[in-house]
Each structure stands twice: as C-alpha cells, then as structure tokens.
Amino acid sequence: MVNTMKRSSVDREKLSPMMKDYMILKDNYEDCIVFYRLGDFYEMFFEDAITASRELELTLTGKSAGLEEKVPMCGIPHHAYSNYIDSLIEKGYKVAIAEQLEDPKTAKGIVKRDVIQVVTRGTRLDNNLDSKNNNYIANIYDFGYCKGISYTDVSTGEFYIELLEQDNDQIIREIMKRGFRELIVNDAIDRELINTLRVTYGILISITKDLYEEDDYKYIYENIEDIRLITTIKHLLSYIIDAKKGDLHHLKECEIIKRNSTLIFDNNTKRNLELVETIRTRDRQYSLLWLLDKNKTAMGSRYLKNQIENPLTNKKELERRYDFIEKISTEFIIRDDLRLALDEVYDLERLAGRISYGNLNARDMLQLKRSLNALPKINNLLKQLNYDKEIDILEEVASLLEKTINEDPPLSLKEGSIIKDGYNSELDELRSISSGSKDFILNIEKVEKERTGIKTLKVGFNKIFGYYIEISKGQKHLVKDEYGYERRQTLANCERYITKELKEKENIILGAEEKIINLEYKLFMDIREIVKRYISKIQEISKIISEVDMLQSFSIVSDENKFVRPKLTKDKDLELVECRHPVVEKVMKDKYVSNDIIMNKDTNILLITGPNMAGKSTYMRQCAITVIMAQIGCFVPCKSAKMPIFDKIFTRIGASDDLVSGESTFMIEMKEANYAISEATENSLILFDELGRGTATYDGMSLAQAILEYIHDNIKAKTMFSTHYHELTSLEKDLKNLKNVHVSAQEEAGNLTFLHKVKSGAVDKSYGINVASLAKLPKELIKRSEEILNIYENKSIKKEVFTQTSLFEDTIEEVIEIEQENEIESKVKDINPLEMTPIEALSFLYELKKEIDKK
Ligand code: ADP
C-alpha cells in the first residue's frame, strides 16, 4: 500500500533532529518540491516524495524519522539532478534545492542545510536551456487603473518594462505574443484573468506582493522616473532574487518598451503568418524564422527571433541595415571569412550570465577565451565592410585566460587540472612535490626488488590503504625484519606491506594533491572575479555580434532566394512587383507564381475574389510577410518593392488560437475584427480573409460590407479583403479607394486549374462546386448541386433560407413561396394598427396587396 502520510499530520516533537530541520526548511518553500541533499543524494519527503515519484517514475520508499511509521521518501543521485529538475519544471513545478552548507566530516551535530536556489520555468540558468530561444519570466503589477508588465531573461540579462491599460484582452494578447511561460502577479489582480492564463494557456503563475527594497540592483531602474514602472520592476526583481539567491549583476538596465518604435501585431498574426513556428506542427521548420536563420551563433538566432517578433519602424535604422547587407553581399570573401570567424564565437550572452551567477566551469571559461580570440579578426572584417561600430576585443581578459586555463579541463572544479603551469608559483611547487614523490614511489619498486631479491614485489595504491608493497604468497617467506616492512593486509594470494618511507611520501603526495585542488579552485574563482568586472563589456560585444550575425544571415538568404532591397517611401504607395511568399516558394521550388501587390496612395482596399484554393490567403500572407521582412531590415521576396513603413498589422486569416477559450468561431472573428478596426490607423495593414463567413449569408455579407465601408471612410488603412460574396465586388463603384482583384482559375470541360495569378477586376464565377468535385464529393451530390445552382442563377435570387434547407427535400419554388409568405407576415407583425391613422392603414393595406399581386 502506498504510504500517503501527510506533512501536516505529523507530530513534530517526535521527529528525528534531521527531519525536524527538514520541516522548518520546507515551511518556507511550501509551493516547491524540495530536493534535500543527504550525502550523495537529494531526497524528497512526504507529499513532495509522492509527487516526485509519480512524475519522475521513482520508487517511493520510506525513511525512519522517529515516528512509528516511516515517512514517504524518494531520492535521486546528486550528480543526475539536472535532468530530473528539467522534467519537473517542464511539468510546471518549482524545485527548491537545499544543499549541505558544511562539510559533514567536520560539522558538529546535524549538518547545516539551506535552499541555495529555486528553479522554475522562467528562472533557469543551466546548460540545458534551448540556445535558440529566450527564456523569459514576467510579472504583472496591477495598480487598479493600469497594469505594469516587466520581463527578463535571467540567462542573458535582458530586462524590459511597459505599462498597459486595464483591458484584459490586451494583457492576454501581450503575454501570448511574447510567449511568457511563468508569471508573477500581485494580489490585486483580477482572478478571472489569472484563471484564464493558468487554465486556458497553461502559464505558471505565482502571486506575491513583495517588492525588492535593497540597493544592490538599483541600477536596473535608476534611470526610470515613473514610480509605477519602478514598482513593477521591483516586484519582479524580488521574486527572481529570492529564487536565484546568487549574484545577478549581469541583469541589464531595464529598457522601457516604446510602442511606436516597433511594428505591432498580436499573437494571432504571429501564428497565422507562421513567423516563428508553423500552425499545424508548431515546428520552427517551415516558418519565416527557419527560412531567415543562417546565423552562426545562438545569440544571432535569438536576436533574429526577437526582431521578427518586434520589427522596427525607424527608417534610418532600417536603411542602415539594408546598406550593410548590400555591402556584404558584394564582398563574398569577406562574408565567408566573417562567417568562419563567427563560428568561433560561443554564446557570450549566456556565458556572461553564468560568470555573474557563478555556475560556470573551466570549459565555459575556455569558450569565453576562444570567443574573445575571434574578435580581432571580426573587428578587422567589419572595418572593411564599413560597419559603424567597433568591438572592444578585451585583450587583457583574453590574455589572462590564455595564461591560466588548461586546454582540456575536467567538468568539475574540484578535481584540479584547471590551471596551467607557470601561472602561480605555489601551485607549480606543489605540483613538483607531488610529481617528485610519485616518481620516487615508482622508483621504490626497483630499489626494493634489488634490495630484497623478491622478483614478484610490486608497489600499488588503493583508496583505503594508500601506497603499499605487494608480495605474492609464494615469496612472502623471503621478507626479513630488517627490511622494516609492516604487514597491512592479507589477501588470498598475496600480502601487502607498508614502510615508513612509503607513508612519508604518501602523506606528501596526498597533502599536496589536496592543496593543489583547493588552490586551483581558489585561483579559478579569482579569475572569475576578474572576468566578472567585464560583464557589461561582454554584453556589449554580444549585442554587436548578434546584430552582425543576423545581417550576414540576411545577406546569405537574400542571395540564395533573390530578395531585393525595398524602397521605403514617405507617401502611401505600396508597390510589390512580382512578390512571392518566401517560405511557400522555398518549399515548392520553381512552381511558385509571383504576383504584384499594388496599392498606390489612392487605393487602400484590395477586394480579392477567386475560388477556394486559388491562393487568396497566400497572396495576403505574402504581403504581410514582405512588410515584416522589410521592417526587420531584411531584403524582400520581390522583383522590386516600394512600401511605406507600417505601424501595425492586423490579420484575420485561418483558425484562431483562441478556440481554446470556448467562444464560437464567429464571436472570435468579430472580436478580432473589432480589435483591428478600433486599433488600426491609416498607417496600418489589415488582412481579412473571408470575414463574415461564420454566420448566415446575408448577415455575413452585410457585416463584411459595413466593415469595408468603415475602413474605407474612417480608418484608411491598407487593407486586403478576400471574400466569396460576389455581391461585394460592386462596391468598387461607390468606394473610390477600393479596387477589385481576383485570383484566376481556368475551367475546361468542368475541370478546374488554379493559375494562382492575381488579375485586376472581379471574378465572374465562384467555382465552389468545381472545388467540391476536386475534393471528390459523391458524383450525384455534385450533379444535384449544379441543378440547384442553375435554378438560383435563373431566378437570380439568392435567399439565405436555401442554405438552411435540406437540398434533397423541398423544391426551390416551394421554398421561395414560404419565404415570401413569411415576409408579408413579418411586415404585418411589425405594425401596430392602434397607432396608425386610417390613411396610413389604408396605404399599408394597398402596399401589401400590390406585393401579393406581384407574385
Ligand atoms: P485560398 O485562400 O484562395 O483558398 P490558399 O492561399 O490557401 O487559397 O492557397 C491554396 C494552395 O495553393 C496553397 O496551399 C498553395 O500551395 C497554393 N498556392 C497559393 N498561392 C500560390 C502561388 N502564388 N503559386 C503557387 N501555388 C500557390
């Protein structure tokens, strides 16, 4: 039977001293699974043990703790803890690691233990972190009338803050877009919001009101004036500092997010355009990020992702990037050299984090050294490319590491072999003592063999007895007292002895080795302290490397895929000639049909018609993707491109990721439409794919038309609107800034071929039945639908009621009759005879009669 003894049910007085200590420690970490270090193991007790054994598939056992019954327990070997922690935090748990703070050999009473860090999804600093993605932890501080959101990546030190309005939808949009997986909130926050984030979106949430009030990390918010921003930062800082406990001075000064300096779009747009992952498989492969990522460093890849999620609006900065790409694209040799040099650069940003926090080893130091060694060459190449920034190559750090760190150090810092010879004279001396004595011992075997004449005599070493002389059983009678051999151990086939001299040398060796290990550790820590002073410089280097890497990647991708430099215009001309969807093109190779997207300053709306599957949504997507590529400073998939700088993009394409929220598709569609029309400006781009199709035909069509009119008259944003309501194409007559285009298809003998070519004007036919037949619906059903279509077209009347009537029961004529009867009935229902004058009543009756006669 499983032991389910609860921690709260235990009489603490009866517990063993160690378990009492555990209970006190655990009281402070109720919401964590506590890994309690005991010798070579981390052990978990009570509920923690039950949870961990279930989640990690460990055996649940019991530990005697002074009670009659054993307490539930499970354990893991200390050296394997990181994979176990990974798996727990991925499942949404927090883990508190409690270490022994004293050496058990020298401690009096029970060994002192305390939590040295809490590991959560958002505060990881280990080597298992995904190098191509940032790992953010965020907080929301609710002030009642607005909310502060700040977030940081503890592994790289980036720190950002912004203020948002009270609107929950906006908060959710922001959180989803930035991909936060752990959130800290204060207790003023709306419970419903927390619930949605937790349950619907699976975000790990902790509630705390604590604010950081010390001075150590004041620099993070020192230059910020708004007290709301400062409070929000302090709230997040308090949580992180409490969790990590170590030195976090690599955290950078907090940057205020300026909304108008980036191109804004929400998570739906990010998803629908498949910017960083595909919709179906959520894989990076076949996303825009995948296409553009030819970075050599992890920093470059992360920066690219960050830029795709936050494109720029600053023309000068964009032109600067284009200039560099243009230059580097003509200098193949320099570009190749640069790529080779970048290959030598490790993840400096995360190394800086580890240097500061202290969890780096000698191999990390070597990575730092190799990275620094690559910098002079990179600098030189950048100069040749007229790049406008120079890297500080930190010569002094590079030469320090060159002098000190061994080329092949072990992972652990407690095994020695970290520091090179010649750096520290004390270390050199200890090493020569140790190795001199080792030579001496090796020599003893020869000397003793000669002295005693015992041929099988050997010198050996084991951990328990140290150095010994071993003599086989057959020859042990040859050992004489005068040799001074002391017997230590008798084995089946030999005897082991020690001598005074042997023990003396052994003491020297072991003493020296211990001293070496301690000294090397101390020297390493000293070096780390020196390097630590350069953290902000290392972060600056990282920033430049990230940018340069991303730009060389753009240059490679642009060459490979024939992208061109866009021309950014001040007026509102959008002219994308022979534009392609870069990812679809890449996957399809040569078959992709390019299309122009032209919206000059007098055209704001393109109304796109064409059969299903013709390529309407791809056409719209490629426009948005081209805009995003241009606004991250990349060349674009066109033959030539002219465009204004956009401030926001809104899309309503394909399925929404809000399906989880339990609202109907149509409701979500309308909410998204509302979000777009309330936030869009004349500098925005709106893509609406068959808006209104989620409701009955007339409803949908009327809404679509009203939305088009509204955008046309009030917003004036560049808008692409695809529809299969042909009736809408007549709007071109009334709305002067709206233009019809259609994606063409060819019909021959009932067979439909998609040409994917966009032409001006409206399409004449919807081809829905052809597409249905391509989808292999039963032949008789297709035939029947053609018959019905004929009737519709002949009557040239399309009533919504048809779509709701079973196609195989009523005849069309009957249905029309019922519909007309209903119309008259509803007119009568709408009037109140008591409020009508006799004349009005008479004229109403006359109207009705006329209508009935007409039929
Ligand atoms: P619609 O929105 O009109 O139903 P889609 O944009 O979803 O059509 O396109 C349907 C399919 O046609 C896509 O999966 C794509 O493979 C192909 N396609 C779309 N545009 C093109 C194009 N310009 N060239 C070649 N194939 C295309």
Side-chain angles (χ1 to χ4, degrees):
M1 206 183 72
V2 181
N3 179 350
T4 55
M5 189 198 303
K6 293 203 165 53
R7 207 167 70 86
S8 55
S9 67
V10 165
D11 179 357
R12 293 197 180 195
E13 287 305 313
K14 292 194 183 140
L15 289 174
S16 64
M18 190 219 79
M19 196 48 79
K20 271 192 190 132
D21 178 68
Y22 168 81
M23 294 296 240
I24 296 169
L25 187 143
K26 171 75 190 173
D27 286 344
N28 291 324
Y29 296 93
E30 287 283 4
D31 62 341
C32 301
I33 292 181
V34 172
F35 277 27
Y36 193 75
R37 180 73 179 262
L38 275 161
D40 285 340
F41 286 85
Y42 287 109
E43 294 188 354
M44 287 142 270
F45 307 112
F46 299 104
E47 290 90 335
D48 282 0
I50 294 165
T51 312
S53 66
R54 184 186 62 232
E55 300 288 5
L56 302 173
E57 294 175 16
L58 300 170
T59 318
L60 185 68
T61 58
K63 187 172 189 87
S64 308
L67 306 172
E68 274 165 31
E69 206 187 333
K70 289 182 172 177
V71 306
M73 178 203 104
C74 69
I76 50 165
H78 81 101
H79 56 81
Y81 79 104
S82 75
N83 288 341
Y84 288 109
I85 288 195
D86 272 4
S87 137
L88 284 176
I89 59 180
E90 271 316 306
K91 291 181 166 140
Y93 296 99
K94 301 182 187 182
V95 179
I97 306 176
E99 281 294 348
Q100 300 175 160
L101 301 182
E102 301 174 301
D103 187 342
K105 276 185 247 153
T106 53
K108 293 193 190 86
I110 56 161
V111 179
K112 211 168 146 220
R113 293 183 179 82
D114 206 351
V115 169
I116 55 148
Q117 67 165 314
V118 177
V119 190
T120 66
R121 262 188 211 166
T123 58
R124 293 177 54 183
L125 271 171
D126 50 274
N127 280 330
N128 293 357
L129 267 182
D130 174 4
S131 65
K132 292 199 164 189
N133 287 304
N134 276 106
N135 186 39
Y136 292 120
I137 177 160
N139 72 325
I140 307 179
Y141 199 94
D142 194 336
F143 293 95
Y145 58 96
C146 73
K147 291 185 174 78
I149 293 194
S150 70
Y151 61 97
T152 177
D153 180 338
V154 186
S155 70
T156 63
E158 292 148 78
F159 213 128
Y160 304 96
I161 172 98
E162 65 182 330
L163 273 188
L164 294 178
E165 288 165 17
Q166 257 325 51
D167 176 2
N168 280 356
D169 284 346
Q170 194 193 355
I171 302 279
I172 293 176
R173 264 198 300 274
E174 192 67 12
I175 286 166
M176 294 312 292
K177 180 182 169 192
R178 303 212 179 269
F180 302 140
R181 298 176 64 218
E182 182 172 4
L183 257 184
I184 319 304
V185 296
N186 65 337
D187 42 14
I189 206 158
D190 178 11
R191 297 291 133 158
E192 203 179 312
L193 175 64
I194 296 191
N195 232 2
T196 311
L197 291 171
R198 219 179 236 158
V199 179
T200 313
Y201 300 107
I203 295 169
L204 176 66
I205 299 185
S206 314
I207 305 177
T208 148
K209 56 179 185 313
D210 299 341
L211 298 181
Y212 172 75
E213 291 299 356
E214 318 276 310
D215 283 340
D216 236 15
Y217 295 99
K218 211 170 165 183
Y219 69 90
I220 293 176
Y221 50 84
E222 206 158 39
N223 291 323
I224 294 178
E225 281 172 8
D226 190 326
I227 187 75
R228 295 168 301 179
L229 298 181
I230 297 178
T231 308
T232 307
I233 297 171
K234 283 179 167 180
H235 182 234
L236 182 58
L237 265 182
S238 159
Y239 180 86
I240 300 169
I241 291 170
D242 202 38
K244 299 316 289 178
K245 302 197 190 299
D247 189 343
L248 296 173
H249 279 91
H250 63 287
L251 292 182
K252 297 179 199 167
E253 209 177 301
C254 190
E255 220 175 282
I256 302 175
I257 296 175
K258 294 194 197 76
R259 299 215 118 218
N260 59 4
S261 63
T262 53
L263 168 63
I264 295 170
F265 46 81
D266 71 354
N267 196 49
N268 267 327
T269 297
K270 187 170 131 185
R271 257 183 95 247
N272 285 330
L273 297 177
E274 308 197 303
L275 296 183
V276 299
E277 61 184 26
T278 55
I279 296 176
R280 269 216 236 157
T281 57
R282 307 204 63 178
D283 264 348
R284 192 184 176 96
Q285 193 175 21
Y286 304 131
S287 67
L288 179 65
L289 176 60
W290 161 79
L291 181 80
L292 299 185
D293 190 359
K294 297 274 184 239
N295 282 283
K296 286 288 182 182
T297 68
M299 294 177 281
S301 294
R302 285 198 301 270
Y303 187 59
L304 169 62
K305 182 164 182 239
N306 174 297
Q307 291 294 289
I308 292 179
E309 289 167 345
N310 304 284
L312 309 177
T313 51
N314 182 329
K315 182 167 190 289
K316 208 168 139 202
E317 176 57 23
L318 292 173
E319 299 286 1
R320 177 184 160 267
R321 292 183 181 184
Y322 302 151
D323 286 344
F324 185 76
I325 299 174
E326 209 160 65
K327 174 79 183 161
I328 193 174
S329 294
T330 56
E331 302 278 1
F332 304 126
I333 299 171
I334 301 182
R335 186 173 72 186
D336 282 350
D337 286 351
L338 181 65
R339 283 171 62 79
L340 283 175
L342 287 170
D343 241 349
E344 302 284 306
V345 180
Y346 290 82
D347 197 340
L348 286 175
E349 228 176 358
R350 286 206 166 139
L351 280 176
R354 291 217 288 279
I355 293 167
S356 161
Y357 190 62
N359 62 337
L360 91 165
N361 57 33
R363 293 191 191 167
D364 293 329
M365 248 351 165
L366 271 190
Q367 292 191 351
L368 175 62
K369 183 185 91 176
R370 290 184 190 138
S371 309
L372 294 179
N373 286 345
L375 298 182
K377 174 134 202 217
I378 294 177
N379 242 352
N380 190 6
L381 295 167
L382 291 180
K383 206 178 266 170
Q384 293 178 55
L385 293 167
N386 307 332
Y387 185 68
D388 54 2
K389 292 178 198 155
E390 199 180 334
I391 301 176
D392 187 342
I393 57 170
L394 301 187
E395 226 167 330
E396 59 280 28
V397 180
S399 81
L400 173 71
L401 299 181
E402 185 61 54
K403 273 199 305 238
T404 51
I405 308 293
N406 250 341
E407 283 306 319
D408 190 17
L411 266 178
S412 157
L413 293 177
K414 295 277 175 66
E415 283 177 28
S417 307
I418 310 173
I419 306 290
K420 276 185 177 170
D421 286 336
Y423 172 61
N424 178 284
S425 55
E426 189 185 342
L427 181 63
D428 292 347
E429 205 169 304
L430 285 168
R431 279 182 177 156
S432 91
I433 294 171
S434 157
S435 68
S437 303
K438 274 186 185 155
D439 290 347
F440 182 86
I441 284 174
L442 286 179
N443 208 24
I444 282 187
E445 196 172 294
K446 204 169 136 227
V447 174
E448 291 296 309
K449 260 187 192 162
E450 276 168 16
R451 181 159 81 107
T452 60
I454 302 174
K455 290 204 185 76
T456 57
L457 183 146
K458 275 194 293 208
V459 172
F461 177 84
N462 74 25
K463 274 199 173 152
I464 302 162
F465 294 104
Y467 288 97
Y468 53 78
I469 292 171
E470 187 178 288
I471 292 172
S472 66
K473 247 202 181 109
Q475 300 200 303
K476 82 175 188 202
H477 61 280
L478 298 175
V479 176
K480 295 183 184 150
D481 284 350
E482 68 209 58
Y483 298 159
Y485 285 13
E486 256 178 64
R487 197 165 63 224
R488 263 298 148 94
Q489 199 184 9
T490 306
L491 299 176
N493 51 2
C494 64
E495 292 285 329
R496 286 178 177 171
Y497 305 88
I498 54 164
T499 67
K500 232 166 134 193
E501 197 181 21
L502 202 55
K503 282 297 120 177
E504 266 167 26
K505 290 294 175 194
E506 181 186 299
N507 281 340
I508 295 173
I509 295 172
L510 295 184
E513 270 176 5
E514 195 179 333
K515 280 188 195 146
I516 289 171
I517 287 173
N518 290 339
L519 181 59
E520 286 203 53
Y521 183 76
K522 181 183 166 298
L523 291 172
F524 184 80
M525 288 302 151
D526 292 347
I527 296 166
R528 199 195 87 197
E529 279 308 309
I530 298 173
V531 177
K532 216 162 138 176
R533 291 183 220 137
Y534 293 86
I535 282 180
S536 61
K537 292 233 157 112
I538 296 174
Q539 288 174 331
E540 274 167 38
I541 298 171
S542 313
K543 210 166 157 187
I544 297 181
I545 296 283
S546 313
E547 187 194 54
V548 168
D549 197 10
M550 179 182 82
L551 294 179
Q552 70 75 22
S553 171
F554 286 168
S555 147
I556 296 275
V557 182
S558 299
D559 274 4
E560 270 178 21
N561 302 286
K562 301 196 172 55
F563 297 163
V564 298
R565 176 176 181 151
K567 188 169 166 14
L568 303 174
T569 60
K570 284 240 160 62
D571 52 30
K572 285 193 65 194
D573 276 345
L574 176 80
E575 222 177 274
L576 309 179
V577 177
E578 294 188 20
C579 177
R580 292 107 57 197
H581 187 303
V583 180
V584 179
E585 179 186 40
K586 187 87 186 171
V587 177
M588 296 182 59
K589 309 226 163 58
D590 304 328
K591 290 175 287 191
Y592 196 83
V593 179
S594 61
N595 276 306
D596 298 347
I597 304 177
I598 313 283
M599 282 195 258
N600 60 26
K601 44 183 176 298
D602 300 322
T603 309
N604 287 331
I605 303 177
L606 286 185
L607 187 67
I608 309 162
T609 43
N612 280 320
M613 288 293 292
K616 297 184 296 300
S617 30
T618 309
Y619 181 61
M620 295 198 284
R621 282 197 177 97
Q622 77 192 32
C623 178
I625 286 180
T626 303
V627 166
I628 288 173
M629 286 172 71
Q631 292 192 222
I632 59 176
C634 183
F635 285 7
V636 294
C638 300
K639 191 167 174 213
S640 73
K642 197 162 109 179
M643 66 180 80
I645 292 180
F646 288 91
D647 63 352
K648 299 171 192 174
I649 297 180
F650 301 89
T651 59
R652 167 64 238 184
I653 311 179
S656 161
D657 68 347
D658 261 347
L659 288 177
V660 279
S661 69
E663 285 172 331
S664 76
T665 314
F666 183 65
M667 181 64 185
I668 295 165
E669 194 173 83
M670 287 301 113
K671 272 188 158 181
E672 282 180 18
N674 178 45
Y675 167 55
I677 59 176
S678 54
E679 300 272 327
T681 73
E682 61 176 337
N683 297 318
S684 306
L685 176 66
I686 300 178
L687 307 181
F688 280 157
D689 191 17
E690 297 186 5
L691 195 78
R693 86 195 127 168
T695 182
T697 315
Y698 275 0
D699 267 10
M701 201 158 75
S702 319
L703 274 165
Q705 177 168 343
I707 288 172
L708 277 169
E709 286 171 0
Y710 188 87
I711 294 174
H712 182 269
D713 298 341
N714 301 313
I715 305 177
K716 304 179 169 55
K718 295 280 184 219
T719 303
M720 296 173 90
F721 197 109
S722 79
T723 184
H724 51 229
Y725 300 134
H726 291 227
E727 293 80 349
L728 291 180
T729 56
S730 61
L731 279 173
E732 196 177 37
K733 290 199 284 303
D734 302 323
L735 306 180
K736 71 177 176 27
N737 296 330
L738 179 145
K739 254 183 85 171
N740 284 323
V741 293
H742 69 278
V743 194
S744 53
Q746 222 168 28
E747 192 189 1
E748 256 175 52
N751 290 330
L752 194 64
T753 319
F754 298 116
L755 303 175
H756 304 302
K757 198 73 198 166
V758 178
K759 298 182 175 160
S760 56
V763 78
D764 52 349
K765 206 177 154 204
S766 78
Y767 303 104
I769 295 175
N770 305 64
V771 176
S773 122
L774 281 181
K776 300 210 174 2
L777 278 170
K779 280 210 177 68
E780 62 183 279
L781 187 150
I782 299 286
K783 201 164 146 264
R784 175 67 184 143
S785 60
E786 276 164 352
E787 279 169 29
I788 300 171
L789 180 66
N790 265 334
I791 298 170
Y792 275 133
E793 284 178 345
N794 291 340
K795 298 255 172 205
S796 82
I797 180 166
K798 296 174 188 174
K799 292 280 183 193
E800 186 223 318
V801 65
F802 295 163
T803 60
Q804 295 175 348
T805 307
S806 167
L807 293 173
F808 301 100
E809 283 168 19
D810 301 325
T811 68
I812 300 298
E813 281 85 350
E814 277 165 2
V815 178
I816 293 172
E817 258 173 49
I818 296 166
E819 172 68 358
Q820 284 162 345
E821 262 172 37
N822 288 345
E823 256 181 40
I824 289 166
E825 200 179 297
S826 81
K827 276 193 175 156
V828 175
K829 271 189 192 146
D830 281 348
I831 56 143
N832 181 356
L834 297 178
E835 285 173 10
M836 291 171 116
T837 62
I839 295 286
E840 278 170 348
L842 193 61
S843 91
F844 180 67
L845 191 61
Y846 177 75
E847 283 297 327
L848 285 188
K849 173 95 175 89
K850 216 166 78 182
E851 264 192 64
I852 293 167
D853 284 346
K854 231 176 22 198
K855 287 158 202 160

